[in-house]
Amino acid sequence: MTTGLIPGAQPPEPRPTSARPPHQRRGPDDGTAQHADDRPRSFVITARAAASFEPVGRSVATARSFVRDTLQGWGFADIVDDAVVLTSELVTNAVVHAGTHADVLCLRSEDGVRIEVSDRYPEREIPVQSAAVNMGSPDREGGRGLQLCAALAGRWGVDYTPTHKNVWFQLDLPERPVGTRTAGPALPAELLPVADGRIRVAVVQIDRTGAISAWNEDAEDLFGYAADQVTGKPLTDLAAWPQTPGTGTGIAEALQLSRWEGSYGIRGADGRVTPVYASHLRIRDTSGEPSTVCLLVRDHERAVLQTPLRAPASDTATQGDGQSSDPFDAFIGSPAPDDLDGLLQRTVERARDMLDGDSAFLLLATDDETELEVRASTGLPSARQRFARVPVEAGPGRYGSARMPAVHDDLTAVPGAVPLLNGTGMRSVVTVPLKVEGRLTGSLGVAAEAPGRYSNEEALRLQFAADRIALAVESARLGELERLRRGSLSFLVEASDLLAGTLDRDQTLALMAQMTVPTLATWCAVYTIADQASEPYLSYVLHEDEELIDGIKSLLSKIPPPDPVPTPGARVWTTPGETAHQAALRSSMRSLGLTGGPIHQIASGMGPTLAVASALGGETVVLPLVARNRVIGMLTLGKPTDEHFRQEILELAEDLSRRAALALDNARLYSERTAISQSLQRSLLPPELPQIDGVEVEVIYRAAGEGNEVGGDFYDLFPISDGAYGFAIGDVCGTGPNAAAVTGLARHALRLLAREGLTGPAVLERLNSAILDEGARSRFLTLLYGEMRPQEDGSAELKVVCAGHPLPLRLRQDGTVEAAAEPQPLLGVMEDLELYEQTVTLDPGDVLLCVTDGVTERREGTRMLGDDGLADVLTTCTGLTAGAVAARIMRAVERFASDAPSDDMAILAMRVPEPHKD
């Protein structure tokens, strides 16, 4: 079934009609007939409701319920019965006999209502004769709906279009004295509803956007807000709606209905929720602007506003197949909601109405039947009690009467018999079990404020209703559990994949929070513990409303963190809620100009907004983050209202906390090892390069592999003595840490040997011996080593030894490129080496380029840059500084291939600048 309700809508366009005249009843006064779409000019539509019903027998009962509820909501109780009978017959014709969908449209005017029923079988015509139409015997099934229209409706007719047949009827309201609507029986004074002192009725007007436009003095007294504090704010900021979002009518939908009554809560200035009973009426002003007037009283004073409940009337209409309706349908209404929450909520409401109670509740049993969980209630602070659990058999606060029907005449005589009702003011209660095949499924109860209201007769009636609903509840509950389990498995698989995909600590913290909000909680905070001696530290805070994150973080940072208890499972943490309540009270008193009293005991500087205080004012639970037998932190989850966490949600959160703890600890270990590795690697790199008068020097170094700062390639430039500088660039066989170890040996040995005054060949020969002494850990090494002395004429003299390394290239000022040394044996292979050094002079403008084989062996498929390719790039660098030369070489290497480099690369460029010309 699909429905739509558009209060105050304009009259729809007339449906197109064919040449066939409609059937209609002659007017009782003038004897003339009116055309189907010739509506009286006084028929001004003030509201409309529409619904579509599938071609199944059950749709007939659904259509009756739709029309009954719609007309009751419009206040047309006087014509409800006639409208239901006519609708039932016409919808039966459509969905049973015509076999098509039935579209029902209700149009409200000041004088009555017009109902149209359309089917999609226009070929099924109504016979038209010049004489009076004989529609057959009243006992015949076909045509009976039209007979009833002729007998009951003030006006009726049939329209045809190429796709639809539309039967409509109009019922006028009977004349009645002004001010008379419904009346209840005269009652003795002792049976009248009890109210505490003066009854205050808050009058709140809401504009079309949902914002508050009027707020009377009683509203100020009930909720603590002055009119100027709330005017212009959305009512949704203050309303605590009891239904679970998505499972029923929400506040936004309720404000759009033409008329609505029910219970919810209003958050007062002190941060607490006041349960209220409300009556909403949607109106429009003379300019057509719609608004909603809300009358609110305290929930226990609901009798002031609540429309008297109509007595359950037997529905004599039968289904299309002639069978009577199911007793289950009579109790719960038809159709039953598909979702479990909707089914339970409707059950408690009908149970309360059936026994004329002040409240009702329904609890579902856990799989092992040891606990009962509050799932639905009406007339009680449901937000505070929802998902709370009580034991069935033993223990404090046990619910001992769950397995058998029980009647309590006065709960004050047996305190704690029904823990859910503690502190609610309820005195008498009747409870019955919901059982399926002997297994306890739940418990249904109805309570009243007066003692002695219920007897065994009411218990039998409620037990009969519970027996009819138990199987549907169990089926819906099992379906919900299956969906939760499948959703939980999917959630944990996705969470595991995300957590395993990062080793960054901050990103792991963010993922933990984002996976819990808003799926498991409204807000969360993650505390981390560095070591056993450290206090928990607030590391991350997240709320589904980003504007509240800073306020929550500020408030949590001012209270002691939870104790790091390694015991698995969630435990309640009351400190945030208590602190939030105190802070809200302090803010409210400050806004009212009140000071003094115990409020000064609150820490100074805590001035969160009421929104922040409300966010922390609900239930808060803490789950330990345990990894490798150590508590490394805590995951804190919270809700903004007093609603309890569901046990299934807490179990899912516990599974998530175990995975998150291991991921967080892995990120910590990885960060520590990465920091150690990077520290060691940085120790292998030379310090800052020295400034050499008369020579420009530039180095570019890239280590292969993620997280590596040093590999098998290395470089160095250091002062020796008397204006001489040593320089080196080398490549150890392989990459990674093992190659980096030989890198450190070579670089430090070069500095020590060179400063002993040894020549270049002697330095390399001793280094060769040191490498061979490493035994199995030794690796061969290519090395270019040289000593450089700047000359007075502006040139630089270099003495170079090239031990198996790519030859250095010299770029002259005229653009020619040549090798600056000859190849000699590499180090770490042979014991006896005979090396020699070569002298090279760099004239002003000349460049000496030294690279490792990661540059020359850069590959793209079968192509390789090579020595010739490097020389070609160097020829384009005439006149560039050493830094520009090194940058151009590196850019050419990177562009040569699209893949990331697989080998370490080092570039050392030295240039003798030209003298400045005056």
Side-chain angles (χ1 to χ4, degrees):
M1 181 187 77
T2 57
T3 63
L5 181 62
I6 306 95
Q10 296 300 318
E13 293 295 330
R15 290 187 171 92
T17 58
S18 63
R20 303 184 183 97
H23 281 272
Q24 44 200 321
R25 181 183 177 187
R26 291 183 177 273
D29 298 329
D30 56 7
T32 61
Q34 296 184 13
H35 190 273
D37 281 319
D38 293 338
R39 297 170 186 157
R41 298 196 178 189
S42 61
F43 195 92
V44 178
I45 297 174
T46 57
R48 66 193 300 267
S52 180
F53 303 92
E54 297 180 353
V56 294
R58 190 179 182 86
S59 294
V60 179
T62 309
R64 290 198 301 268
S65 176
F66 164 70
V67 171
R68 183 183 298 278
D69 291 343
T70 299
L71 299 191
Q72 286 283 356
W74 287 348
F76 289 174
D78 295 329
I79 58 176
V80 163
D81 293 337
D82 289 348
V84 168
V85 170
L86 294 179
T87 302
S88 179
E89 292 298 330
L90 296 179
V91 172
T92 299
N93 289 339
V95 303
V96 177
H97 300 302
T100 75
H101 282 72
D103 300 324
V104 179
L105 174 66
C106 301
L107 303 175
R108 183 186 71 181
S109 71
E110 296 178 355
D111 301 324
V113 65
R114 174 187 173 113
I115 298 178
E116 302 179 0
V117 180
S118 300
D119 64 47
R120 303 172 189 180
Y121 189 14
E123 291 81 3
R124 194 166 180 273
E125 300 180 4
I126 304 298
V128 179
Q129 303 174 7
S130 57
V133 179
N134 180 13
M135 297 183 183
S137 168
D139 297 330
R140 209 183 111 200
E141 188 73 19
R144 189 174 61 191
L146 299 179
Q147 284 183 304
L148 289 174
C149 287
L152 300 178
R155 300 178 184 85
W156 68 279
V158 183
D159 302 335
Y160 288 92
T161 72
T163 58
H164 288 75
K165 174 168 64 67
N166 179 48
V167 180
W168 62 270
F169 61 88
Q170 184 170 326
L171 298 174
D172 297 327
L173 290 176
E175 295 185 3
R176 55 189 176 189
V178 176
T180 301
R181 180 180 175 186
T182 59
L187 294 176
E190 60 272 12
L191 297 181
L192 296 176
V194 178
D196 298 333
R198 176 179 178 273
I199 295 180
R200 298 187 180 275
V201 180
V203 181
V204 183
Q205 191 161 0
I206 316 299
D207 63 20
R208 70 160 61 237
T209 66
I212 298 172
S213 58
W215 183 270
N216 73 339
E217 292 181 359
D218 279 1
E220 295 181 8
D221 184 79
L222 284 175
F223 310 123
Y225 297 108
D228 57 355
Q229 290 180 288
V230 296
T231 301
K233 293 184 178 180
L235 181 64
T236 53
D237 288 354
L238 305 179
W241 203 253
Q243 282 79 19
T244 302
T247 63
T249 302
I251 184 170
E253 292 83 358
L255 292 176
Q256 295 299 316
L257 298 177
S258 59
R259 189 180 292 273
W260 183 90
E261 287 184 16
S263 298
Y264 54 92
I266 296 292
R267 295 186 182 90
D270 60 357
R272 297 184 180 277
V273 175
T274 301
V276 298
Y277 188 84
S279 175
H280 296 179
L281 176 65
R282 192 161 171 82
I283 60 173
R284 59 177 175 173
D285 58 22
T286 54
S287 61
E289 184 67 17
S291 63
T292 303
V293 177
C294 308
L295 305 181
L296 303 94
V297 297
R298 293 184 180 90
D299 194 66
H300 63 273
E301 298 170 342
R302 63 170 54 226
V304 177
L305 298 180
Q306 188 172 14
T307 300
L309 297 171
R310 59 182 177 85
S314 59
D315 194 347
T316 57
T318 60
Q319 303 288 345
D321 55 7
Q323 297 179 358
S324 60
S325 62
D326 193 320
F328 165 76
D329 293 338
F331 172 68
I332 195 63
S334 179
D338 294 330
D339 64 287
L340 178 60
D341 286 335
L343 176 62
L344 300 183
Q345 191 62 36
R346 187 182 293 186
T347 299
V348 296
E349 291 171 356
R350 296 297 171 90
R352 181 195 65 183
D353 297 346
M354 182 177 70
L355 299 187
D356 194 22
D358 296 312
S359 64
F361 53 88
L362 194 150
L363 301 88
L364 292 186
T366 55
D367 290 339
D368 56 5
E369 301 183 22
T370 60
E371 289 184 307
L372 291 170
E373 182 180 65
V374 181
R375 291 300 301 269
S377 65
T378 181
L380 297 173
S382 57
R384 175 173 63 87
Q385 302 288 351
R386 187 170 165 82
F387 299 128
R389 287 195 171 193
V390 293
V392 174
E393 298 294 350
R398 69 185 182 89
Y399 194 3
S401 58
R403 298 187 184 277
M404 296 291 293
V407 177
H408 296 280
D409 290 331
D410 194 344
L411 289 177
T412 58
V414 281
V418 183
L420 178 65
L421 300 180
N422 292 344
T424 62
M426 299 297 161
R427 297 283 298 277
S428 56
V429 61
V430 53
T431 61
V432 296
L434 278 70
K435 291 185 178 181
V436 175
E437 297 180 352
R439 181 178 178 274
L440 181 66
T441 297
S443 177
L444 176 64
V446 178
E449 295 178 352
R453 284 282 299 276
Y454 303 113
S455 64
N456 290 337
E457 182 180 352
E458 281 81 9
L460 289 174
R461 292 178 59 196
L462 190 61
Q463 184 66 70
F464 176 78
D467 292 342
R468 302 301 305 175
I469 196 69
L471 185 60
V473 169
E474 179 68 2
S475 176
R477 186 180 74 91
L478 292 177
E480 180 189 69
L481 286 176
E482 181 63 22
R483 288 192 298 271
L484 282 173
R485 285 167 182 159
R486 277 186 290 188
S488 298
L489 289 175
S490 176
F491 173 79
L492 290 175
V493 168
E494 183 179 356
S496 299
D497 289 343
L498 290 173
L499 291 171
T502 179
L503 288 172
D504 181 82
R505 175 183 176 276
D506 293 337
Q507 189 173 358
T508 303
L509 289 172
L511 283 174
M512 290 171 57
Q514 291 166 8
M515 284 185 291
T516 57
V517 176
T519 305
L520 305 181
T522 306
W523 66 270
C524 86
V526 182
Y527 291 84
T528 56
I529 303 174
D531 52 60
Q532 298 289 350
S534 301
E535 290 292 325
Y537 173 74
L538 182 61
S539 299
Y540 202 91
V541 174
L542 184 65
H543 190 282
E544 61 183 8
D545 184 352
E546 294 182 357
E547 296 181 356
L548 300 178
I549 294 177
D550 291 338
I552 294 175
K553 185 182 299 183
S554 175
L555 195 147
L556 288 177
S557 64
K558 292 180 172 65
I559 62 178
D563 296 330
V565 178
T567 306
R571 69 182 192 276
V572 177
W573 186 30
T574 59
T575 305
E578 294 170 354
T579 305
H581 174 67
Q582 291 178 350
L585 184 58
R586 181 172 180 269
S587 298
S588 299
M589 295 186 68
R590 178 181 295 172
S591 66
L592 296 174
L594 302 176
T595 58
I599 205 65
H600 284 303
Q601 299 174 4
I602 303 174
S604 60
M606 294 179 59
T609 63
L610 291 176
V612 172
S614 177
L616 291 178
E619 184 177 57
T620 303
V621 297
V622 178
L623 297 103
L625 299 175
V626 181
R628 298 176 176 91
N629 298 321
R630 187 173 72 88
V631 180
I632 64 170
M634 288 157 292
L635 177 63
T636 303
L637 307 179
K639 286 182 172 289
T641 66
D642 291 335
E643 181 176 303
H644 291 266
F645 280 96
R646 295 190 60 175
Q647 188 64 27
E648 292 84 357
I649 296 298
L650 294 180
E651 292 171 357
L652 182 58
E654 187 177 354
D655 286 338
L656 175 64
S657 68
R658 287 195 292 266
R659 290 165 170 78
L662 188 59
L664 185 61
D665 200 47
N666 288 339
R668 177 188 63 83
L669 294 174
Y670 177 78
S671 299
E672 291 178 356
R673 282 156 176 73
T674 300
I676 293 171
S677 174
Q678 291 174 347
S679 177
L680 292 175
Q681 291 184 60
R682 282 192 290 269
S683 70
L684 300 178
L685 293 174
E688 293 184 4
L689 298 178
Q691 296 292 330
I692 304 176
D693 293 336
V695 179
E696 299 173 357
V697 180
E698 181 66 27
V699 174
I700 296 180
Y701 184 85
R702 301 283 173 83
E706 183 179 357
N708 291 331
E709 295 188 24
V710 178
D713 291 4
F714 70 95
Y715 67 93
D716 203 357
L717 179 64
F718 54 91
I720 300 176
S721 63
D722 300 332
Y725 293 86
F727 65 91
I729 183 169
D731 184 2
V732 178
C733 174
T735 60
N738 292 330
V742 180
T743 295
L745 171 65
R747 193 178 68 79
H748 290 97
L750 283 175
R751 288 198 172 209
L752 290 173
L753 295 172
R755 287 170 178 170
E756 290 295 325
L758 299 176
T759 63
V763 170
L764 269 60
E765 288 168 3
R766 284 166 173 73
L767 175 59
N768 181 62
S769 299
I771 294 174
L772 291 174
D773 289 343
E774 291 292 308
R777 296 184 300 174
S778 66
R779 290 169 175 260
F780 65 80
L781 166 68
T782 68
L783 180 64
L784 172 66
Y785 173 74
E787 294 180 1
M788 177 177 56
R789 291 178 182 272
Q791 303 297 310
E792 293 181 357
D793 61 357
S795 64
E797 182 184 81
L798 285 70
K799 293 181 179 181
V800 182
V801 180
C802 186
H805 199 77
L807 299 179
L809 300 180
R810 177 183 181 182
L811 172 64
R812 293 185 180 274
Q813 196 171 7
D814 60 2
T816 60
V817 175
E818 61 185 9
E822 296 176 354
Q824 300 183 59
L826 51 76
L827 307 181
V829 178
M830 299 179 294
E831 293 185 1
D832 297 327
L833 286 180
E834 293 184 4
L835 302 174
Y836 59 92
E837 63 184 6
Q838 297 173 271
T839 302
V840 180
T841 301
L842 294 182
D843 296 325
D846 289 354
V847 175
L848 184 71
L849 176 66
C850 310
V851 299
T852 59
D853 60 4
V855 174
T856 57
E857 295 179 4
R858 178 74 163 148
R859 294 179 180 275
E860 174 71 18
T862 59
R863 298 187 306 120
M864 186 172 72
L865 180 62
D867 296 333
D868 294 337
L870 179 62
D872 291 340
V873 176
L874 186 58
T875 58
T876 65
C877 299
T878 305
L880 299 180
T881 64
V885 171
R888 180 168 292 187
I889 297 298
M890 179 55 73
R891 188 162 56 249
V893 172
E894 291 173 341
R895 291 178 177 177
F896 187 80
S898 58
D899 295 337
S902 59
D903 196 4
D904 305 326
M905 292 187 294
I907 300 173
L908 171 62
M910 295 181 289
R911 177 178 180 270
V912 178
E914 301 175 70
H916 294 286
K917 297 180 180 180
D918 296 333

